[in-house]
């Protein structure tokens, strides 16, 4: 890792680590007596460890200019390994959380281990830890290939990968010690939020600087999505996290907005975290890895334009469907519902574009579990977006909101779409990145696929059932015109479905562990394949496998 | 064709794409969020609206810290069964001082928007110590350790100050006396108790919430917060005819 950096970059890296360590030290000092001190210490230790690591190899020989003849993939490799660590951790915590609803005593008596604290650990670990690292890894990989240009330098991508993971660690450890803003999927407090902005700006600059050096005249569709992901997530993150800290020595802050305005801002953020973190970025992934793996060009260039701009425009209006029948003015609810319905068009255009790309390659889908991961992901994407538009209709939402149906819907998207497309892309990218003939075991990829699919289906069906039963019980009246069921009645009815959900999650976790093992074996066993001549950052005639705009 | 022709040229310009993405993605939020700050009817008037006391605010922060919002909503929708089950539907003004709002998105447990004074302090303490002692099938975690955790009060003034910075009208007097008021509210026989009613109104609940007036614990704060939920204003309880006549 450090041998690849120039002397200049090593010096800058030490200076950055020093700045991080100093910030951590200061937070620790001013935050004495507050949980902030723990995070200050954590940041300080992270900075100091980096300084020692860099110092150890500081005088190692500089890399030769030969490096410019290759893409710079080390940060992508690290991010893939980190993504797999986060998914195993995140799924394990998620399943533990699920079992707590079966048996609430599984907290083992600790305050840190109660449902309310570990639930955001699960969501952050899987969305930001796994999803985010998967996006960073693949975006840097795809950006270089589709631009036929090397990353502009070697330090900034490492800063993004390590800085981003520091943010994730701050987030996850924060919840356990009671640091949270309570805004769903935006729980980290002000100092972690500021740090993420710094990391994000560097990430965006890597994108612009690499694109400026590209040797392809057109920017490939994957990069539109990755750019929309980076840009819009920055907008959402900054606006939704505007807050005033109690003091510089307190982790706690109070959000700038309150009540109805805060609710609308939060769900504008929340729904578009789904749109631009969990959809746009992963569509970027799909638009590269699916055609590459299938060996076929994207079915329609025009469909990809329509779906891209449709998603970028319509999604931003849809957040208010989280607030139907609430104190949010009805006109905003109606706008949210309307745009949620229109959103089905670009969503299905994307899913259709992906599936039609596979026309002529269905025999490969049958034989290749990696491509099947991506195909099933596209199917789940189509199903989940249909379900989402349906649930955004006010009267449907009257039944589904506040119930487990929402949880089922989210997991159809998260397990079926996001995780599956990421696993498929990682299984495709790992042999390419580490110069291997293929994965360590194709059978284990196959096993992972079936565990993941079975887990998703069991999970989603359990939550559909519990959610709809819950919703119906809450609104059932008896002949005398009073409510037929108490809340506790509905809770008792949930029990079998909570068991089924936890089992489904366990299946998905087992699949994730198999995947992590398979990837680990692939990258540690030495079996270097010949470097692909088409996989070099030079302007050269493209082969049939290279994705190009269809026109 | 011309649209696709335009796009064919646009996708060759990185900065052009960036600007287009930012513009296209900004419109929805601007149209839906900005007017909520300017249209007066968005938040109803409630002259009787009172502020969270320092103790209630501290309790609210414990509610946030423990992630209670993950399972309990505080937003009763305008649906017949919700009004029958939980009480009058929630108004925007009721969370006017909620930075951030805790409307929630999931009801693994029941809505809490009108839980205030529905159960006794003793019930809440018993329930928080062991939910299954009062609701045998409950899946809520136990929070018995709140009773053994002393509440941090020395920085409550800073909390109120930060709240004022985001728009909650706390006075200098309230800020200066925040730690004392927190103690006084949970210890009715103490000399500090009078100041609470003086600063926050006579309707303020001054009680030994966890049953032990001499110790100020996190249990006191959380129960004080739960007991004020839905009671900052009675705007939601006013007859509909009266509300309509007012428009």
């Amino acid at each position: 890792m450090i041998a690849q950096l120039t002397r200049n970059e090593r010096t800058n890296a030490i200076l950055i680590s020093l700045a991080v360590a100093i910030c951590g030290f200061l937070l620790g000092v001013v935050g004495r007596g507050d949980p902030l001190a723990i995070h200050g210490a954590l940041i300080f230790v992270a900075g100091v460890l980096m300084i020692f690591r860099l110092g150890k190899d500081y005088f190692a020989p500089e890399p030769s200019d030969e490096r410019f003849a290759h893409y710079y993939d080390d940060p992508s490799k690290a991010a893939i390994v980190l993504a797999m660590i986060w998914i195993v951790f995140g799924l394990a915590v998620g399943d533990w959380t699920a079992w707590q609803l079966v048996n609430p005593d599984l907290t083992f008596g600790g305050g840190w281990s109660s449902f309310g604290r570990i639930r955001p650990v699960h969501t952050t670990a899987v969305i930001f830890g796994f999803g985010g690292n998967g996006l960073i890894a693949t975006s840097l990989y795809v950006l270089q290939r589709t631009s036929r240009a090397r990353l502009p330098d070697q330090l900034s991508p490492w800063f993004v990968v390590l800085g981003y993971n520091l943010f994730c660690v701050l987030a996850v450890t924060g919840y356990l010690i009671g640091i949270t803003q309570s805004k769903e999927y935006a729980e980290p407090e002000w100092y972690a939020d500021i740090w993420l902005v710094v990391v994000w700006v560097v990430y965006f600059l890597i994108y612009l600087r690499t694109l400026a050096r590209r040797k392809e005249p057109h920017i490939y569709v994957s990069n539109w999505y990755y750019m929309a992901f980076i840009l819009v997530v920055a907008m959402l993150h900054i606006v939704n996290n505007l807050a005033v800290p109690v003091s510089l020595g307190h982790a706690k802050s109070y959000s700038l907005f309150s009540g109805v305005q805060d609710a609308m801002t939060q769900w504008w953020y929340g729904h578009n975290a789904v749109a631009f973190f969990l959809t746009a970025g992963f569509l970027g992934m799909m638009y590269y890895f699916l055609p590459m793996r299938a060996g076929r060009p994207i079915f329609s260039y025009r469909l990809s334009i329509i779906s891209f701009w449709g998603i970028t425009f319509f999604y931003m209006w849809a957040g208010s469907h989280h607030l139907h029948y609430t104190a949010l003015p009805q006109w905003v609810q109606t706008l949210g519902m309307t745009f949620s319905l229109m959103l089905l068009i670009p969503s299905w255009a994307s899913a259709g574009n992906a599936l039609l790309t596979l026309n002529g390659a269905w025999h490969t889908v049958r034989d290749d579990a990696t491509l099947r991961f991506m195909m099933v992901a596209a199917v789940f994407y189509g199903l989940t977006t249909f379900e989402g538009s349906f649930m955004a209709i006010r009267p449907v939402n009257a039944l589904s909101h506040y119930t487990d149906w929402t949880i089922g819907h989210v997991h159809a998207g998260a397990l079926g779409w996001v995780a599956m497309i990421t696993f498929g892309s990682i299984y495709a990218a790992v042999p390419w990145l580490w110069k291997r003939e293929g994965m360590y075991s194709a059978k284990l990829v196959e096993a992972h696929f079936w565990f993941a699919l079975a887990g998703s289906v069991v999970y989603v069906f359990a939550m559909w059932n519990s959610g709809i039963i819950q919703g119906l019980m809450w609104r059932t009246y008896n002949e005398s015109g009073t409510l037929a069921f108490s809340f506790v009645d509905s809770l008792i009815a949930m029990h079998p479905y909570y068991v089924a959900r936890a089992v489904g999650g366990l299946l998905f976790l087992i699949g994730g562990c198999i995947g992590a093992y398979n990837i680990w074996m692939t990258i540690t066993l030495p079996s270097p394949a010949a470097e692909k001549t088409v996989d070099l950052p030079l302007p050269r005639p493209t082969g049939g496998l290279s994705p190009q705009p269809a026109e | 064709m011309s649209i696709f022709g335009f796009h064919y040229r646009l996708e060759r310009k990185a900065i052009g794409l960036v600007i287009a993405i930012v513009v296209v993605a900004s419109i929805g939020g601007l149209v839906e969020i900005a007017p909520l700050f300017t249209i007066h009817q968005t938040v109803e008037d409630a002259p009787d609206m009172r502020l969270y006391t320092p103790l209630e605010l501290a309790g609210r922060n414990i509610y946030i810290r423990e992630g209670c919002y993950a399972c309990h909503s505080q937003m009763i929708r305008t649906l017949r069964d919700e009004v029958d089950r939980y009480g009058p539907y929630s108004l925007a003004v009721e969370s006017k001082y909620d930075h951030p709002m805790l409307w929630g998105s999931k009801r693994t447990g029941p809505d809490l928007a009108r839980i205030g004074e529905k159960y006794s302090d003793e019930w809440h303490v018993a329930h928080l110590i062991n939910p299954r002692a009062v609701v045998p099938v409950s899946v809520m975690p136990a929070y018995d350790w709140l009773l053994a955790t002393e509440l941090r009060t020395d920085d409550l003034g800073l909390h109120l100050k930060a709240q004022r910075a985001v728009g909650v009208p706390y006075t200098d007097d309230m800020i200066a006396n925040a730690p004392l008021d927190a103690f006084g509210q949970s210890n009715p026989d103490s000399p500090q108790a009078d100041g609470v009613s003086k600063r926050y109104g006579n309707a303020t609940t001054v009680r030994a919430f966890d049953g032990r007036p001499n110790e100020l614990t996190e249990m006191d704060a959380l129960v004080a917060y739960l007991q004020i939920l839905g009671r900052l204003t009675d705007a939601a309880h006013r007859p509909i005819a009266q509300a309509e006549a007012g428009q």
Side-chain angles (χ1 to χ4, degrees):
Chain A
M1 160 189 168
I2 290 151
Q4 288 291 316
L5 303 183
T6 64
R7 185 65 45 82
N8 213 2
E9 287 174 329
R10 288 174 208 173
T11 311
N12 288 337
I14 288 180
L15 290 175
I16 293 170
S17 308
L18 189 64
V20 170
I22 291 171
C23 287
F25 180 76
L26 291 176
L27 280 181
V29 171
V30 296
R32 284 187 319 276
D34 192 85
L36 181 64
I38 299 171
H39 269 173
L42 198 151
I43 296 167
F44 176 73
V45 169
V48 169
L49 283 180
M50 278 310 296
I51 294 173
F52 275 108
R53 182 72 192 81
L54 287 156
K56 200 171 128 245
D57 289 345
Y58 185 76
F59 294 106
E62 289 202 72
S64 71
D65 283 348
E66 197 262 341
R67 70 181 187 277
F68 293 116
H70 303 272
Y71 295 121
Y72 190 51
D73 288 330
D74 289 0
S76 293
K77 289 180 181 177
I80 284 181
V81 172
L82 287 164
M84 294 311 295
I85 294 172
W86 278 110
I87 191 68
V88 171
F89 170 73
L91 291 173
V93 175
D95 206 43
W96 179 23
T97 316
W99 285 109
Q100 284 196 359
L101 291 185
V102 176
N103 177 2
D105 292 326
L106 289 174
T107 61
F108 309 111
W112 64 273
S113 57
S114 63
F115 183 97
R117 290 202 192 183
I118 63 171
R119 185 249 183 193
V121 171
H122 160 63
T123 56
T124 302
V126 293
I127 297 173
F128 297 107
F130 168 68
N133 276 301
L135 287 172
I136 292 172
T138 57
S139 67
L140 297 179
Y141 180 94
V142 171
L143 171 66
Q144 297 183 83
R145 267 75 185 176
T146 54
S147 303
R148 298 205 157 258
R150 196 174 194 269
L151 293 178
D153 68 318
Q154 291 142 144
L155 177 56
S156 56
W158 277 115
F159 176 76
V160 170
V161 172
L162 298 177
Y164 180 76
N165 281 280
L166 175 61
F167 166 79
C168 294
V169 170
L170 287 177
V172 164
T173 54
Y175 314 144
L176 297 177
I177 56 176
I179 300 174
T180 173
Q181 287 194 107
S182 81
K183 294 187 152 215
E184 283 185 78
Y185 321 111
E187 292 96 345
E189 272 292 356
W190 58 275
Y191 51 96
D193 290 335
I194 293 172
W195 173 244
L196 184 63
V197 172
V198 174
V199 170
W200 219 245
V201 168
V202 176
Y203 187 20
F204 180 58
L205 288 178
I206 293 177
Y207 240 85
L208 282 190
R209 287 156 71 208
T210 310
L211 285 176
R213 299 147 57 92
R214 74 184 184 278
K215 300 182 184 80
E216 293 284 345
H218 288 268
I219 299 170
Y220 183 60
V221 53
S222 287
N223 294 323
W224 314 346
Y225 279 109
Y226 282 126
M227 278 203 291
F229 146 64
I230 298 170
L231 282 167
V232 182
V233 166
M235 275 167 50
L236 298 165
H237 173 77
I238 292 171
V239 175
N240 191 44
N241 284 305
L242 291 174
V244 174
V246 171
S247 82
L248 288 179
H250 279 79
K252 173 83 188 160
S253 69
Y254 290 105
S255 71
L256 189 57
F257 309 132
S258 69
V260 62
Q261 293 92 355
D262 187 48
M264 186 56 221
T265 310
Q266 159 58 24
W267 287 110
W268 168 78
Y269 167 90
H271 195 70
N272 289 296
V274 173
F276 289 88
F277 207 98
L278 294 178
T279 303
F282 292 91
L283 282 171
M285 212 183 262
M286 184 190 79
Y287 268 108
Y288 182 82
F289 288 97
L290 185 135
M292 286 297 279
R293 186 74 183 191
R296 302 188 56 81
I298 280 292
F299 169 74
S300 166
Y301 165 66
R302 292 185 178 188
L303 265 186
S304 40
I305 292 177
I306 292 169
S307 52
F308 174 75
W309 291 105
I311 282 172
T312 308
F313 183 63
F314 291 161
Y315 246 118
M316 298 300 275
W317 298 74
S320 51
H321 70 222
H322 289 252
L323 301 168
H324 281 330
Y325 302 98
T326 67
L328 181 75
Q330 179 140 1
W331 65 268
V332 195
Q333 299 179 22
T334 307
L335 274 179
M337 175 176 95
T338 312
F339 277 87
S340 302
L341 289 174
M342 293 196 285
L343 196 51
L344 190 58
I345 297 165
S347 299
W348 273 26
S350 296
N353 212 359
L355 292 174
L356 289 167
T357 300
L358 293 172
N359 262 352
W362 288 102
H363 58 286
T364 328
V365 177
R366 183 194 61 206
D367 300 335
D368 176 11
T370 300
L371 190 57
R372 213 178 314 124
F373 260 116
M374 300 189 215
M375 185 278 285
V376 170
V379 171
F380 265 102
Y381 177 65
L383 289 174
T384 308
T385 48
F386 174 78
E387 188 189 24
S389 294
F390 181 63
M391 289 167 81
I393 300 170
R394 274 168 55 94
V396 179
N397 197 266
L399 178 80
S400 76
H401 194 54
Y402 293 136
T403 73
D404 285 322
W405 189 354
T406 312
I407 315 302
H409 168 63
V410 170
H411 282 81
L415 302 177
W417 155 240
V418 173
M420 295 257 200
I421 192 69
T422 312
F423 287 139
S425 301
I426 287 179
Y427 282 132
V430 163
W432 296 340
L433 276 169
W434 273 272
K435 318 289 180 216
R436 300 288 189 271
E437 299 290 350
M439 288 300 295
Y440 164 72
S441 163
K443 282 210 177 99
L444 287 181
V445 180
E446 192 74 39
H448 181 189
F449 172 80
W450 288 108
F451 270 109
L453 184 61
S456 305
V457 170
V458 170
Y459 191 112
V460 171
F461 270 90
M463 290 292 94
W464 278 341
N465 277 297
S466 66
I468 291 171
I469 291 172
Q470 239 172 354
L472 291 175
M473 285 179 87
W474 291 346
R475 57 161 59 182
T476 302
Y477 283 82
N478 55 28
E479 293 88 4
S480 57
T482 55
L483 291 165
F485 299 103
S486 71
F487 192 89
V488 165
D489 291 334
S490 74
L491 192 61
I492 295 168
M494 292 310 101
H495 187 75
Y497 302 106
Y498 284 171
V499 175
R501 179 257 297 271
V503 170
L506 186 63
L507 294 177
F508 204 90
L509 168 64
I510 293 170
C513 293
I514 293 172
Y517 170 76
N518 199 6
I519 289 166
W520 186 249
M521 293 308 282
T522 309
I523 64 184
T524 49
L525 282 189
S527 68
E531 193 157 343
K532 284 196 291 177
T533 47
V534 291
D535 194 30
L536 293 172
L538 294 168
R540 61 179 61 235
T542 53
L545 288 183
S546 290
Q548 293 281 305
E551 288 186 18
Chain B
M1 181 58 216
S2 63
I3 291 173
F4 294 109
F6 169 73
H7 200 276
Y8 191 72
R9 290 194 298 279
L10 176 68
E11 69 190 42
R12 299 169 67 121
K13 306 265 186 289
I15 298 298
L17 265 181
V18 166
I19 293 169
I21 289 169
V22 170
V23 169
V24 167
S26 299
I27 298 169
L30 285 174
V31 172
E32 289 187 348
I33 299 175
L36 299 179
F37 290 93
T38 56
I39 298 176
H40 178 67
Q41 295 108 298
T42 302
V43 180
E44 307 82 0
D45 290 323
D48 64 334
M49 180 82 179
R50 80 160 180 81
L51 304 175
Y52 290 114
T53 63
L55 187 65
E56 290 154 7
L57 185 69
R60 189 169 196 275
N61 289 339
I62 293 166
Y63 184 98
I64 288 173
R65 184 186 75 195
E66 300 308 326
C68 305
Y69 59 86
C71 293
H72 295 284
S73 59
Q74 291 185 21
M75 173 47 63
I76 302 166
R77 297 182 293 171
T78 54
L79 298 167
R80 180 187 161 201
D81 60 289
E82 299 217 349
V83 172
D84 283 350
R85 190 179 295 279
Y86 300 115
Y89 58 81
S90 299
L91 300 181
V93 68
E94 293 180 275
S95 47
K96 179 174 150 183
Y97 295 140
D98 284 9
H99 295 265
M101 58 84 207
L102 295 171
W103 292 10
S105 60
K106 177 68 173 66
R107 284 179 187 154
T108 304
D111 187 278
L112 299 182
R114 309 222 174 278
I115 199 73
E117 299 298 338
K118 204 167 165 182
Y119 299 88
S120 65
D121 294 342
E122 291 76 18
W123 186 92
H124 278 297
V125 172
H127 181 248
L128 286 164
I129 290 174
N130 179 13
R132 277 153 294 289
V134 276
V135 184
V137 298
S138 168
V139 293
M140 190 172 117
Y143 291 97
D144 49 335
W145 45 275
L146 290 177
L147 199 59
T149 313
E150 200 188 331
L151 182 72
R152 182 179 175 187
T153 54
D154 62 305
D155 61 349
L156 279 173
L158 289 172
H159 281 265
L160 261 55
K161 226 170 168 174
Q163 285 265 310
R164 185 159 74 177
V166 293
V168 184
Y170 284 109
T171 63
D172 290 336
D173 191 30
M174 290 168 170
I175 291 170
N177 290 291
L180 295 177
D181 286 346
F183 178 77
Q185 195 181 352
S186 69
N187 192 345
D189 298 328
S190 67
Q192 289 90 342
D194 294 340
V196 183
S197 311
K198 193 181 85 194
R199 277 180 281 276
Y200 294 91
N202 288 325
T204 309
T205 321
V206 179
R207 286 199 301 251
F209 294 97
D210 69 355
R212 300 178 307 179
N214 295 319
E215 291 172 67
L216 183 52
T217 63
E218 296 198 333
M219 185 67 87
D220 278 311
L222 185 57
V223 174
Y225 172 62
L226 292 172
Q227 295 291 31
I228 195 61
L229 281 176
R231 296 176 57 248
L232 290 176
T233 166
D234 64 0
H237 295 270
R238 273 177 231 147
I240 292 169
Q242 191 189 329
E244 279 173 353
Q247 281 179 354

